[in-house]
Amino acid sequence: MDMPQIGFIGIGVMGEAIVRNMMKQGLNVNVYNRTKSKTAELVKEGAVWQDSPAEITASSDIIFTMVGFPKDVESIYFEENGIFSTKITDKIIVDLTTSTPTLAQKIAIKANQLGGAALDAPVSGGDLGAKNGTLTIMVGGDQTIYDQVLPIFKTFGTTVTLHGSSGKGQHTKMANQIMIAGTMTGMTEMLVYADKSGLDLTKVIETLSGGSAANWSLSNYSPRILKENYSPGFFVKHFIKDLKIALDEAEKMDLTLPATKLAAELYEKLAAKGFEDDGTQALIKLWWTDGKQPNVKN
């Protein structure tokens, strides 16, 4: 498909960066967000505002969605003035939201019934991955449709993989979030322990990053913690949502995931303290109160 018209619904921390990377590659992008002001910078840069998900769909060939929760996905697809309220024949719909495999399958079935096609394609890599165009994209759906969208995926991702039929992208993202739950709790407890031991945390991070303890969370989130930067690359409230989906899906498969369950409980405790809109690195606040100065030697 040569130079398709792109539609993008959901201009949050990651959505804005993804759209910007698309436009850098010469793509024409229509945008919609419930809060219109969040699209202002993109519109200045050349994106075109549309007044509803239905208008985005009518004016675009490939429509991407990236919103907060499964209920938001359900709304923009199925409610009045939603994506499915207008003609989608020969159009492709791609949901980048981390949502449920069941909803991904429901969307794909409806899209096919209406003469279109759908992919579920949740991403990993956080705000930095979105800004740098280096996201990992986990896709579920038909191979032919995937091949058509792959050039678009490559404008904002470097690792793009089709994992199977509709819903398999979401299952892969759940596996990703289970792994991240472990690295985030491990990274947080490591810092608490090292700080209590009187170690220089900067040196500890540098040392561990060069050995078998190295991981993405350690490299990207621990430096933010040392600067007391809790701005969201990924919101606590969204991570709780993801972990609940993972635990629900595990239960359906008769699996018990005690470490993931504990991580979810810790993040729920953090949210209850008022930090649900912080980034996931704010987990350290369960041990360090505001104003706590970690043991960092300059």
Side-chain angles (χ1 to χ4, degrees), residues 14 35 51 76 140 215 270 286:
M14 296 180 69
T35 305
D51 285 325
I76 61 173
N215 64 78
L270 181 66
L286 292 181

Side-chain angles (χ1 to χ4, degrees), residues 114-170:
L114 296 176
L119 299 173
D120 51 289
V123 304
S124 181
D127 58 332
L128 292 178
K131 289 175 183 176
N132 296 331
T134 57
L135 290 170
T136 294
I137 308 171
M138 306 157 234
V139 189
D142 182 78
Q143 178 76 56
T144 302
I145 304 303
Y146 168 80
D147 290 341
Q148 290 183 58
V149 182
L150 184 57
I152 314 299
F153 283 142
K154 287 183 176 179
T155 66
F156 60 92
T158 50
T159 302
V160 190
T161 309
L162 178 66
H163 288 275
S165 58
S166 296
K168 297 298 187 186
Q170 296 294 353

Side-chain angles (χ1 to χ4, degrees), residues 67-74 95-104 120 122 167-178 181 234 236-255 257 260-261 263-265 268:
V67 293
F69 296 87
K71 63 182 177 61
D72 302 316
V73 176
E74 189 98 29
D95 187 25
L96 303 176
T97 313
T98 298
S99 183
T100 67
T102 302
L103 182 53
D120 51 289
K168 297 298 187 186
Q170 296 294 353
H171 276 302
T172 307
K173 182 60 184 288
M174 290 304 103
N176 183 84
Q177 300 306 75
I178 289 166
F234 193 68
V236 166
K237 61 186 177 184
H238 290 163
F239 197 44
I240 292 170
K241 174 260 297 183
D242 294 357
L243 295 180
K244 286 182 175 179
I245 293 172
L247 291 168
D248 286 344
E249 293 299 322
E251 185 176 357
K252 291 176 186 177
M253 296 183 285
D254 198 28
L255 287 175
L257 304 176
T260 304
K261 183 174 183 291
E265 291 170 354
E268 286 178 324

Side-chain angles (χ1 to χ4, degrees), residues 6-274:
I6 304 299
F8 204 101
I9 300 170
I11 308 300
V13 173
M14 296 180 69
E16 181 175 3
I18 290 171
V19 170
R20 188 164 284 118
N21 280 317
M22 287 178 172
M23 293 195 298
K24 285 179 181 177
Q25 296 303 314
L27 293 170
N28 299 313
V29 186
N30 301 299
V31 294
Y32 171 79
N33 193 68
R34 284 181 299 184
T35 305
K36 185 177 180 179
S37 60
K38 291 185 178 180
T39 68
E41 289 302 315
L42 291 175
V43 170
K44 287 180 183 178
E45 294 167 26
V48 178
W49 166 262
Q50 301 291 346
D51 285 325
S52 69
E55 290 192 15
I56 284 282
T57 306
S59 60
S60 308
D61 302 305
I62 302 176
I63 300 95
F64 290 84
T65 57
M66 193 174 203
V67 293
F69 296 87
K71 63 182 177 61
D72 302 316
V73 176
E74 189 98 29
S75 174
I76 61 173
Y77 278 90
F78 292 97
E79 289 189 357
E80 184 179 0
N81 290 320
I83 289 170
F84 290 140
S85 70
T86 192
K87 184 178 179 181
I88 67 161
T89 304
D90 297 327
K91 296 179 186 288
I92 298 173
I93 300 159
V94 185
D95 187 25
L96 303 176
T97 313
T98 298
S99 183
T100 67
T102 302
L103 182 53
Q105 292 166 347
K106 178 181 177 181
I107 289 169
I109 291 169
K110 184 68 172 179
N112 288 334
Q113 289 173 345
L114 296 176
L119 299 173
D120 51 289
V123 304
S124 181
D127 58 332
L128 292 178
K131 289 175 183 176
N132 296 331
T134 57
L135 290 170
T136 294
I137 308 171
M138 306 157 234
V139 189
D142 182 78
Q143 178 76 56
T144 302
I145 304 303
Y146 168 80
D147 290 341
Q148 290 183 58
V149 182
L150 184 57
I152 314 299
F153 283 142
K154 287 183 176 179
T155 66
F156 60 92
T158 50
T159 302
V160 190
T161 309
L162 178 66
H163 288 275
S165 58
S166 296
K168 297 298 187 186
Q170 296 294 353
H171 276 302
T172 307
K173 182 60 184 288
M174 290 304 103
N176 183 84
Q177 300 306 75
I178 289 166
M179 184 68 192
I180 288 175
T183 62
M184 288 300 293
T185 55
M187 182 267 293
T188 301
E189 291 189 0
M190 176 278 294
L191 288 174
V192 171
Y193 178 90
D195 182 61
K196 196 72 171 180
S197 302
L199 298 173
D200 180 345
L201 297 187
T202 301
K203 288 184 177 180
V204 170
I205 291 168
E206 290 173 353
T207 299
L208 299 189
S209 296
S212 58
N215 64 78
W216 195 94
S217 296
L218 177 65
S219 298
N220 289 277
Y221 284 133
S222 57
R224 297 191 194 190
I225 290 172
L226 298 196
K227 295 177 182 178
E228 298 183 271
N229 175 6
Y230 301 110
S231 59
F234 193 68
F235 287 102
V236 166
K237 61 186 177 184
H238 290 163
F239 197 44
I240 292 170
K241 174 260 297 183
D242 294 357
L243 295 180
K244 286 182 175 179
I245 293 172
L247 291 168
D248 286 344
E249 293 299 322
E251 185 176 357
K252 291 176 186 177
M253 296 183 285
D254 198 28
L255 287 175
T256 301
L257 304 176
T260 304
K261 183 174 183 291
L262 178 58
E265 291 170 354
L266 289 170
Y267 273 101
E268 286 178 324
K269 183 178 179 181
L270 181 66
K273 289 179 175 290

